[in-house]
Amino acid sequence: MKISQDAALVAHMTKWRRHLHAHPETAFEEVATSDYVRDLLESFGLQVHQGIAKTGVVATLTNGDGPAIALRADMDALDMVEHTNVPHRSTHDGKMHGCGHDGHMAMLLGAAKYLSENRHFNGTVHFVFQPAEENEGGGRVMVEEGLFDKFPAQAVFGMHNWPELPAGVMATKPGPLMAACDTIEIKITGQGCHGAMPHLGRDPVVIASELILALQTISSRIVNPQDAVVVSVTQINAGHTWNVIPEDVVLRGTVRSFRPEVRETLQSSIKRIVKGVCEAHGASFDLTYNAGYPATVNDPEQTEVCARAAIKTVGEDKVDLNPVSSMGAEDFAYMLEAKPGCYVWLGTGGTPGGCLLHNPGFDFNDGVLHIGTSYWINLVEEILGSDR
């Protein structure tokens, strides 16, 4: 199924997408967004439930007897100032849809509308509109609040626009597609003194510098070179003036990996290195290691199904079944821990300005709305089709 020639539906999706872009709301504050999505879903004749994970929306469409599946789109925007000049630019200062979640909602809404009018399937489809994907773990909250107890599903599926791929190319693969994401905060306490008399203190800045370099040996000398990992110190906070060695330094950073056992190695190695470097210099430390999103791991069987749907949508030559996994993280991972499923990327390269995700100049490429919606329709009919 390809809806590129359904001009009316494409026009509707473009209108919805641009309205959502102009009215961004951030994590767990998607109140107007939730109501807008609810109103549209109800107008399609679907049963709609609001309130799971505060602002989440789930709509259910059942046609005959058959399995149940869940399709998910995220709803939240980012705390960013938009730098585009498009007519539908953000009307909320300091907030923007810089990750394309407006497009994700529009594509899933388009699929819901089409499937409500063309029920070439037997079974149930749950359309899940999830809040707070950006850093706040709305997917985890939905699962914890009983998403799959209230809306039983045999499998769950997600999709994200991907500007790094050419427009219309789709990509997925079994196993880890996106990384686990943890954070670290390290406070090193030495002994402050005059900057001209460093021998009278214990300089935490020098200790922090040595520690930053030592942490890089985790990826180069501790973890198997075939296991991709990232340990990035992204903040160094110390001191208030040019001639005083401070009492302490605070380091913060991000830790990324794909496999659980590697994730455990990273955590234990960081603790050991921090302890060793600080004790060697007579400094004390306080390490906070926060486990964030798990890796996004696709189920092999469900990935095969998604690959077939993608090929039906864009053609075999435009489906990459062995993309390089991303070190970015995604809280759809929590849903994949609860149910088998698959996450795919939809290429949107060629957007105005050529911006990547989380860029203040980003705007979703409306030219692929029909592709994403066609994929959802093909996936539903692949799994639940009456001729299966």
Side-chain angles (χ1 to χ4, degrees):
M1 171 58 63
K2 298 179 180 179
I3 66 162
S4 57
Q5 295 180 343
D6 191 338
L9 182 54
V10 173
H12 282 309
M13 289 191 293
T14 303
K15 176 183 176 182
W16 301 334
R17 204 283 297 180
R18 294 182 179 182
H19 171 89
L20 290 163
H21 187 92
H23 301 88
E25 296 174 302
T26 50
F28 296 120
E29 296 178 352
E30 309 94 332
V31 177
T33 301
S34 177
D35 289 346
Y36 184 80
V37 168
R38 175 205 63 202
D39 290 346
L40 285 170
L41 292 167
E42 288 181 343
S43 75
F44 307 155
L46 275 64
Q47 297 178 345
V48 182
H49 176 93
Q50 271 184 294
I52 188 169
K54 192 174 181 179
T55 53
V57 181
V58 182
T60 298
L61 177 64
T62 298
N63 188 62
D65 296 326
I69 61 173
L71 313 179
R72 172 267 201 177
D74 34 20
M75 302 194 300
D76 56 322
L78 289 157
D79 289 305
M80 294 174 61
V81 176
E82 182 165 355
H83 290 169
T84 73
N85 292 314
V86 296
H88 51 276
R89 71 188 310 274
S90 173
T91 58
H92 298 168
D93 290 341
K95 300 179 188 298
M96 74 166 289
H97 272 294
C99 200
H101 297 182
D102 48 346
H104 300 169
M105 287 185 280
M107 291 186 291
L108 192 56
L109 286 166
K113 179 174 171 58
Y114 179 91
L115 291 167
S116 68
E117 298 168 353
N118 303 272
R119 304 189 181 196
H120 305 308
F121 66 93
N122 290 322
T124 296
V125 183
H126 300 300
F127 301 91
V128 179
F129 293 82
Q130 178 213 301
E133 187 278 328
E134 301 287 356
N135 301 317
E136 299 299 328
R140 172 183 54 79
V141 177
M142 289 194 94
V143 171
E144 289 176 349
E145 292 189 4
L147 173 65
F148 296 119
D149 297 323
K150 298 172 183 175
F151 307 97
Q154 293 184 337
V156 62
F157 302 93
M159 174 168 53
H160 205 291
N161 79 99
W162 212 247
E164 296 162 71
L165 291 174
V169 170
M170 299 190 72
T172 192
K173 66 179 180 180
L177 186 65
M178 300 188 73
C181 172
D182 302 333
T183 61
I184 52 172
E185 179 175 290
I186 307 163
K187 183 177 180 180
I188 302 169
T189 302
Q191 182 177 336
C193 62
H194 196 294
M197 306 172 187
H199 61 292
L200 299 179
R202 291 188 182 90
D203 189 344
V205 176
V206 171
I207 299 168
S209 301
E210 182 176 325
L211 176 58
I212 292 169
L213 292 176
L215 290 173
Q216 302 313 306
T217 65
I218 296 174
S219 60
S220 65
R221 290 296 180 270
I222 296 174
V223 174
N224 188 320
Q226 297 185 55
D227 283 311
V229 300
V230 167
V231 180
S232 291
V233 176
T234 56
Q235 295 182 43
I236 307 173
N237 299 296
H240 301 286
T241 189
W242 56 271
N243 63 345
V244 175
I245 291 174
E247 188 80 8
D248 52 51
V249 174
V250 175
L251 306 177
R252 297 186 181 93
T254 185
V255 182
R256 310 284 174 124
S257 60
F258 289 113
R259 298 196 298 123
E261 51 268 44
V262 173
R263 196 179 191 187
E264 292 177 5
T265 297
L266 285 167
Q267 183 171 356
S268 62
S269 297
I270 289 170
K271 290 179 178 178
R272 184 178 67 253
I273 290 171
V274 171
K275 183 175 185 291
V277 170
C278 289
E279 287 184 349
H281 290 277
S284 60
F285 70 92
D286 183 27
L287 168 63
T288 302
Y289 191 104
N290 291 315
Y293 296 175
T296 302
V297 182
N298 286 337
D299 175 81
E301 181 178 347
Q302 301 304 326
T303 303
E304 287 185 13
V305 175
C306 290
R308 293 197 297 269
I311 290 169
K312 287 182 180 179
T313 304
V314 297
E316 190 169 3
D317 60 326
K318 291 188 176 181
V319 178
D320 183 355
L321 296 179
N322 191 30
V324 176
S325 299
S326 171
M327 298 308 290
E330 162 63 67
D331 81 340
F332 184 67
Y334 292 108
M335 295 189 185
L336 289 176
E337 286 188 331
K339 293 288 179 180
C342 179
Y343 191 70
V344 304
W345 293 331
L346 170 60
T348 55
T351 57
C355 294
L356 300 181
L357 303 175
H358 292 216
N359 184 297
F362 178 85
D363 187 28
F364 186 87
N365 184 353
D366 288 333
V368 304
L369 286 172
H370 71 279
I371 299 175
T373 292
S374 295
Y375 166 75
W376 283 134
I377 295 166
N378 286 328
L379 181 61
V380 169
E381 295 182 354
E382 180 72 29
I383 300 172
L384 304 179
S386 54
D387 58 348
R388 69 182 188 280

